[in-house]
Amino acid sequence: MAEAAFSVDGKYYSAITQDGRLRIWDTETNVLKQEYTPDLHLTSPPSCLQWISATQSANTQKGGRRKSISEETHHVALGTTSGKILIYSVSQAKVETVLSNENSHSGITSLDWHSKYGLYSCSKENSVCEWDLQSSLIRYKYNVSVESKNKHGNIRAIKIVPHKQNTAARYLVAASYQVKLWRLHDGEATIIKNLGHNAAPTALLSIATLNDVCWLIEGSQNERLLSFWDVTISDEHVPQMNGDETPHKKQRRKSISKAPVTTATPTYNFVLEDAPRLVDVELKSEDGATRLSLAAATRSGVVHYYGLMLNGSSTKPIKPSVTIQVTSADARPLPLQCCRLPPKGDLLLGYWNGPVMTFERVIPDLKTKTQILIRGEKEAKKKGKQDGKQGRENETSQVTYVEPLGGVARKRATPGDKVEVPMEARLANLALDVKGRSKSAVSQNLTKLLMQGLHSKDKGIILTVLQKDDPAVALRTVSNLPADYVPQLLEQLADMATRKTSQCASVCTWLSAVVRCHSALLLATMGSRASDHLTQLLAIFTNRRSHLCQLLNLKGRLDLTISQRSASDIAQDEQEPVLNYNDSSSDEEMEAEPYQSDSDASWGDDKFESDASAQEEADSDGD
Amino acid sequence: MGVMVNGDGGKSVKYNFYRKAGRSIIERRPVFSPDGESIAIIVENIVRVYNIQTGECVRILETESPVNELIAIQFPENEDYNLYGCSDTGYVTVWTWANGAVLRETKLNLPTNTKVLTFDLVDSTECCIVTSQPNNKFLNLNTYSTKTGELLYDYRDTKPMYGDMICVSLGWCNGDRYAAVSNGTKVLSIQNLQQPHLKTRIINHNGYRIMSVAAHQKTNAVAITDTLGRATVIRGNLFDYKQVAREVMHWHFLPPLATCFSLQGNYLYTGGMEKVLVKWTIGDLAYRASEKNFIPRLPGMIRFITTNNTHVALTLTNNSVVIANAQLRVLGTLLECGGVSPASRAVGGALLHVPPLSALLTAARTGHLQLYSTNTDKVLYNLDITGLNNLPSERWNLLPLETEVTCAAVSGNGDWLVTSEYRNDGITYPEEKLKFWAAQYKNSTPFQLNTCVNLSHGGCNVVSLSLNYKGDFCVSAGSDQKFRIWKKENTSPSNKGKKFAWSCLTACYYSSGIGQFISNDVLNGFKDGFKHKPGRDEDLPYLREVDKKDDVIKKLFNIHKEQSLVNDEANRVCTKRDSEFDMGGVAISQDGSLIAAWFGCKLTLWDTHLCNLSTTLSHPALRPKGVHVQFGNRDAAHYLVCTTETCLAVWSLLSLTVKWLVQINPTCLVSHRFSNKLAVVTTNNDLHVFSPHSSAPILTKKRLLDPSTGVFKQCTFGTCFDDEIRLYLMRNDSEIYCLEPEQTEESHLEVISHRKLPTSNFSALLAEQQLSEVTPATADGNVIDVNNLAGSTIAQFSLASPHMVPPVGLLCTTFLQRLSGTEDIEQLDDTEEDKPMEIDEDSSDDEDASSKLNGPYAPKVTELWTPNYEAVKEKKLNKMMHEPFLDLHSSSSLFGV
């Protein structure tokens, strides 16, 4: 009885919800693709589902030509408790056809499909039907009920066993309290094997095949155990051999008349933490041996992964190689729902992350016993409207923007922020006089100040120190600097080196001091963050140096031009003026101006007037 | 105890080579199915049917006999349960829509070497096609029978010149079918299909070239679009150019490539290079005439528009079909791989395998990368890399240069993606951005931008990128002859949180170190602001002139496959410099300790930790310039494989010697992360998979495809186990091919043909078979005479004083039409019918000799001349009925008795 399953290629995951809806997720993009509510979903809810592949066009059946995947469209067969089977097409998002049995209306308990054998359903009356999808009719109907005295259980799970024998017979495992392997041939069902008992009527069946060998994994609804059975169909199970079957084998159960083989103990047992919810298995041939990978999601919400080389049988239960759990950052477990082993070697997991189902591909870490994935955010503090804004801010703040040529990240003022610099600081900035300060310093040692600045990351203090472009001061300051502060100092220097040339010049001075005083330390801490900053500084200086040649060239030319230009200016200045006119009335004019400039609006006119009057005065003087 | 021996190694695996994705779905016009649930799209030689609601491919229709290419598919109006398709060689295939089976296949009787260009159904028995023949510059317009394949009529008078932009639409005019043909010139040809002598050539206003044509399905109207951007609806008697009226609608400023009437004909859809769909209100809804609706910001130019009553489908140049409802709300997109812009196609783009998603990262439309799942053959995501808006085209600059993703790399574990984008138009300073994206496969966007470096190489483009396995550090090689080492750093303040950013460690170079900067004269040229003043209407040559050789309109029409739109000069605009130390590929060794980089013909090895040069490798055979370099992996980690344009060489890093060297012309070199294998593809599409240990390749596939159809430029290994090889190759037209081990899985698919759906409560009341023998009651006096009633009502209505009557514009249109009396069916002119046939017969003698007429379906020539075929036929029948069956006099005179 499968209420959840992956599609054949693993693209989709579908599950029947509590209220009888079918939900289909896209596992690659984590999207809930479709939700389908069947008619009468509350009175006769779907009981089981099965992915099938079918096509709609008639002429794609040409042999030999390779079919692309999109051609075979995904369908989900839904068995309902009213006895109908809905074939739901995922690509068309609608029910394609409804298979119904006119004679009986007992609920479908289990469905199974195999690309070679078609769709099988099992009803509550313990009858297995083989369906012909083309005509929506029953091809065969088999009765697989077992008369049993103590426990009468309906068949709750069926599984087709593929085989490579040359026979038209089909083989099927049916599980109620007893698990049996049946042969279905021409409308007749015969028991071939008994595969032990089950603790609950509902079983979880899964089939693994490799070449000719076929294994069954069987888990019960309330047992913390998976059993692993060999259900390979061999020659002796072919109907022709029916008469002289199994004379040499022991008969353990007398109650069964047809003498089927009873295998009491499975080949392997796998221990689980809780009853299984979904099992996936894969067999792989590896260097001649067979490797079994088994993944099982349990009801407690963990996934067990078993890796095993098949080798004989073992009665001792096998413990999981890895147990995978998912929790949120604040240790809230996120229940795992499903698991699948894609042929890639990794593990596809699905878990509830809050209200959403999330799928993830994980490579099982076989070095540890438990693998815990921390996913999901902490419980978000509810802040109402601010949430959206915060999210957007987060998004932008997650991106780091780097300067051209890979300069060091500079912290940008967020746009719209108010710059509030106190007046004192502004004045201090204006009044900053490097030479003057260095003279007034108490001593030529700024170690304390630098340490203080580095410790508090106060840009102002650091800049006051590092902008002193004096080798002696730098050497004295750095030589006393404790080793702890050297990486921080380098970081600051690397930051400053990307700034203006004047700053970069002082960086050179300070860096040479650092290298002279702390070379041993720098060598010792090779490979740490400090050395990263050194390489960065090297890169910056190299880059700057690469321009040096051209800049010097330019500077030379400019100097030349300027000197020539200034030379000519000087020459002009030195010339005697042709006419030197000394205006005696300038004093009067100076006095006149303050009176006139009172009216701001007519400033220009006044000036003109004053000029004009001055002109007049000059004229009159000249006269 | 025996030792288990591995298999003899003689496990010979057969490899399949097939096309994986990237087929063009935009080549032809799609059609909606009659039930409105699905849309059928031609993909080369098959028809894919997509469901409109889910956007998934529901089924595939194939032709019975192999064809090269399907030209058109259509549901005939009188037989809409069958789908008709026609191939370029003239095979008409009929599928039943219910189950997709081929019903019939007819070969049209075409002359040899004829190529069908368009196919339109007149009805289910007759089709109208335009064919071309080599060595003939004129095209033929013919009608053929779809049942027998016979030629019905050859319209000799309507012979459009050859052009790739042929567009045909069938409509109704005065009760006859006509074909409206445009071919990218200023002439629109109208040809009556029933009466071949009725034809017109309508010249577009101002002589602008007509881009596309659509005929109204009901009334005498045809819509054209021209290069100026106008959409013109021509109404009236289309067979007489003097009697047509034109309604010009002008919103587009660039040539609209497609136009289409809505099914009822009240709306006109146009769209084209602006990437906007415009829905015009026309016709009867005249009171809303000025209304327009838009779908803006479509991802590509519109090539075709198809409508039905509820939906509109737009075929876009980015290889997608957008489906919107009638209210112009986009419902879904059918997206196929590819759709790469011409500029990006020239660059080559990227093809990378992202292991956690088992997806391929490929180039997509401008500024995007696409994640394509190889498991399910679907496009998963479209990643916007540049995050820029489209640059709008202008009349004088139809294809502006946009920022394209030039390079990309993914770390081995798929955690980090690095991309580089570049734009250099030679006018402004080049734009270049290096972006680091962190994977977050659980969220709706698989990659999140982490760090963005503007002008990472000072304005030079990034030549190649390489990331190490864990995604710790990255190397980018630029055309400034330097490579930069980028390192991931934890930038969270407490060092505990997980906030990472990338920063540049250093730049390494093999030359003097003096900056190689962009020094093109073009950069110093001033931007001429007066050259193209906005708003000035310039007469550009492409608007009117049909240029045979270099027709830009024709190229734009086929932009998705046109190679010549990008001129190489523009691509190489950036530098004028010494190219001796030009960078080629870069690679990081498996353990991350070494970096290999090509500087011209010198292959250099660098220490990752100290960032200094450790060795320079050079060999005379590797001149003049190296292209690719890759380290071997696993047990071949001590080998370095490099290629130039003419050879492939393998260096041993232990002895620093060339181990072996082969003379081939490689286009691409890739290594597999988890085995010692490498793959190389050559210019003649040979594929070699080899291990550096020996020069004998493990697998060789010669000439996978004809090199003239395209060369494989990109190649990557997929997820593969053991000794399997799974390779994905991308041709330069962005089709993805796959080479993988043959899988033999026998399974048959069941076909769901019988549908049994639960009936609704109402349908339960209806019997499956209904038969009623009750004769309908004859009309008696109670029946209201609608016509009379209407007349009296109108009279009453019009008697009211005018100020009481509501505004005319608000009155129901049908009422107005009734008032104006246009709906009156024209009575057939008796005088015309009375004309006996003899007059026609003598006049049609010359016609008879020239026209080929065969087949039982063809009407006689004489009948073709008469104005109304049906009426004549009826008259004939009447005559036969009324006249005596055997006239003794005439028969005796006839037989000479």
Side-chain angles (χ1 to χ4, degrees), chain A residues 381-410:
Chain A
K381 290 161 207 158
K382 278 168 192 162
K383 280 187 179 173
K385 284 181 187 173
Q386 290 188 337
D387 276 5
K389 198 183 166 191
Q390 250 182 353
R392 229 174 302 139
E393 273 175 16
N394 274 340
E395 211 145 89
T396 51
S397 68
Q398 269 167 358
V399 185
T400 317
Y401 291 94
V402 180
E403 300 296 305
L405 298 166
V408 184
R410 191 186 299 171

Coordinates of all heavy atoms in Angstrom, one line a residue, chain A residues 381-410:
Chain A
K381 N 11.7 35.8 14.0 CA 11.0 36.7 14.9 C 9.9 37.4 14.1 O 10.2 38.0 13.1 CB 11.9 37.6 15.6 CG 12.9 37.0 16.5 CD 14.0 37.9 16.8 CE 15.2 37.0 17.1 NZ 16.5 37.7 16.9
K382 N 8.7 37.4 14.7 CA 7.6 38.0 13.9 C 7.7 39.5 14.1 O 7.5 40.0 15.2 CB 6.3 37.4 14.4 CG 6.1 36.1 13.7 CD 5.0 35.3 14.4 CE 5.0 33.9 13.9 NZ 4.2 33.0 14.7
K383 N 7.8 40.2 13.0 CA 7.9 41.6 13.1 C 6.9 42.2 12.2 O 7.0 43.4 11.9 CB 9.3 42.1 12.8 CG 10.2 42.0 13.9 CD 11.6 42.6 13.6 CE 12.5 42.5 14.8 NZ 13.8 42.9 14.5
G384 N 6.0 41.4 11.7 CA 5.0 42.0 10.8 C 5.5 42.6 9.5 O 6.1 41.9 8.7
K385 N 5.3 43.9 9.3 CA 5.5 44.5 8.0 C 7.0 44.5 7.7 O 7.4 44.6 6.6 CB 5.0 45.9 8.0 CG 3.5 45.9 7.9 CD 3.0 47.3 7.9 CE 1.5 47.3 7.9 NZ 1.0 48.7 8.0
Q386 N 7.9 44.6 8.7 CA 9.3 44.8 8.4 C 9.9 43.7 7.7 O 11.0 43.8 7.2 CB 10.0 45.1 9.7 CG 9.6 46.4 10.3 CD 10.5 46.8 11.5 OE1 11.0 45.9 12.1 NE2 10.5 48.1 11.8
D387 N 9.3 42.5 7.8 CA 9.9 41.3 7.3 C 10.3 41.4 5.8 O 11.4 41.1 5.5 CB 9.0 40.1 7.4 CG 9.1 39.5 8.8 OD1 9.8 40.1 9.6 OD2 8.5 38.5 9.1
G388 N 9.4 41.9 5.0 CA 9.6 42.0 3.6 C 10.8 42.9 3.3 O 11.7 42.6 2.6
K389 N 10.8 44.0 4.1 CA 11.9 45.0 3.8 C 13.2 44.4 4.2 O 14.2 44.5 3.5 CB 11.6 46.2 4.6 CG 12.4 47.5 4.2 CD 12.0 48.6 5.1 CE 13.0 49.7 4.9 NZ 12.9 50.7 5.9
Q390 N 13.2 43.7 5.4 CA 14.4 43.1 5.8 C 15.0 42.1 4.8 O 16.1 42.1 4.6 CB 14.1 42.4 7.1 CG 14.8 43.1 8.3 CD 14.6 42.3 9.6 OE1 13.8 41.3 9.6 NE2 15.2 42.7 10.6
G391 N 14.0 41.3 4.3 CA 14.5 40.3 3.3 C 15.2 40.9 2.2 O 16.2 40.5 1.7
R392 N 14.6 42.1 1.7 CA 15.3 42.7 0.6 C 16.6 43.3 1.0 O 17.6 43.2 0.2 CB 14.3 43.8 0.1 CG 14.1 43.8 -1.4 CD 13.1 44.8 -1.8 NE 11.8 44.6 -1.2 CZ 11.1 45.6 -0.7 NH1 11.5 46.9 -0.8 NH2 9.9 45.4 -0.1
E393 N 16.7 43.8 2.1 CA 18.0 44.4 2.6 C 19.0 43.3 2.7 O 20.1 43.4 2.3 CB 17.8 45.0 3.9 CG 17.4 46.5 3.8 CD 17.1 47.1 5.2 OE1 17.5 46.5 6.2 OE2 16.5 48.1 5.2
N394 N 18.6 42.1 3.2 CA 19.5 41.0 3.3 C 20.0 40.6 1.9 O 21.2 40.4 1.8 CB 18.8 39.8 3.9 CG 18.8 39.8 5.4 OD1 19.6 40.5 5.9 ND2 17.9 39.1 6.0
E395 N 19.1 40.6 1.0 CA 19.5 40.2 -0.4 C 20.6 41.1 -0.9 O 21.6 40.6 -1.5 CB 18.3 40.2 -1.3 CG 18.4 39.2 -2.4 CD 17.0 38.7 -2.7 OE1 16.4 39.3 -3.5 OE2 16.6 37.7 -2.1
T396 N 20.4 42.4 -0.7 CA 21.4 43.3 -1.3 C 22.7 43.2 -0.5 O 23.8 43.3 -1.0 CB 20.9 44.7 -1.3 OG1 20.5 45.0 0.0 CG2 19.8 44.9 -2.3
S397 N 22.6 43.0 0.8 CA 23.8 43.0 1.6 C 24.6 41.7 1.5 O 25.7 41.7 1.9 CB 23.4 43.2 3.1 OG 22.8 42.1 3.6
Q398 N 24.0 40.7 0.9 CA 24.7 39.5 0.7 C 25.7 39.6 -0.4 O 26.6 38.8 -0.5 CB 23.8 38.3 0.5 CG 23.4 37.7 1.8 CD 22.2 36.7 1.6 OE1 21.7 36.6 0.5 NE2 21.8 36.1 2.6
V399 N 25.5 40.5 -1.3 CA 26.4 40.6 -2.4 C 27.6 41.6 -2.0 O 27.4 42.6 -1.5 CB 25.7 41.2 -3.6 CG1 26.6 41.2 -4.8 CG2 24.5 40.4 -3.9
T400 N 28.8 41.1 -2.3 CA 29.9 42.0 -2.1 C 30.4 42.6 -3.4 O 30.5 41.8 -4.4 CB 31.1 41.1 -1.5 OG1 30.5 40.3 -0.5 CG2 32.1 42.0 -0.9
Y401 N 30.6 43.8 -3.4 CA 31.1 44.5 -4.6 C 32.5 44.8 -4.5 O 32.9 45.4 -3.5 CB 30.3 45.7 -4.9 CG 28.9 45.4 -5.3 CD1 27.8 45.4 -4.4 CD2 28.6 45.1 -6.7 CE1 26.6 45.0 -4.8 CE2 27.3 44.7 -7.0 CZ 26.3 44.7 -6.1 OH 25.0 44.4 -6.4
V402 N 33.3 44.4 -5.4 CA 34.7 44.6 -5.4 C 35.1 45.7 -6.4 O 34.5 45.8 -7.4 CB 35.5 43.3 -5.7 CG1 36.9 43.4 -5.6 CG2 35.0 42.2 -4.7
E403 N 36.1 46.5 -6.0 CA 36.6 47.6 -6.8 C 37.2 47.0 -8.1 O 37.6 45.9 -8.2 CB 37.6 48.3 -6.0 CG 37.1 48.9 -4.8 CD 36.0 49.9 -5.0 OE1 36.3 50.9 -5.8 OE2 34.9 49.8 -4.5
P404 N 37.3 47.9 -9.1 CA 38.0 47.4 -10.3 C 39.4 46.9 -10.0 O 40.0 47.3 -9.1 CB 38.1 48.7 -11.2 CG 36.9 49.5 -10.7 CD 36.7 49.2 -9.3
L405 N 39.8 46.0 -10.8 CA 41.1 45.3 -10.7 C 41.2 44.6 -9.4 O 42.3 44.3 -8.9 CB 42.2 46.3 -10.9 CG 42.3 47.0 -12.2 CD1 43.2 48.2 -12.2 CD2 42.7 46.0 -13.3
G406 N 40.1 44.2 -8.8 CA 40.1 43.4 -7.6 C 40.6 44.0 -6.4 O 41.2 43.4 -5.5
G407 N 40.4 45.4 -6.3 CA 40.8 46.1 -5.1 C 40.1 45.5 -3.9 O 39.1 44.7 -4.0
V408 N 40.5 45.9 -2.7 CA 39.9 45.4 -1.5 C 38.5 46.0 -1.3 O 38.3 47.2 -1.7 CB 40.8 45.7 -0.3 CG1 40.2 45.1 0.9 CG2 42.2 45.2 -0.6
A409 N 37.6 45.2 -0.8 CA 36.3 45.7 -0.6 C 36.3 46.9 0.3 O 36.9 46.9 1.4 CB 35.4 44.6 0.0
R410 N 35.6 47.9 -0.1 CA 35.5 49.1 0.7 C 34.1 49.2 1.2 O 33.2 48.9 0.5 CB 35.9 50.3 -0.1 CG 36.1 51.6 0.7 CD 36.3 52.7 -0.2 NE 37.5 52.6 -1.0 CZ 37.8 53.4 -2.0 NH1 37.0 54.4 -2.3 NH2 38.9 53.2 -2.7

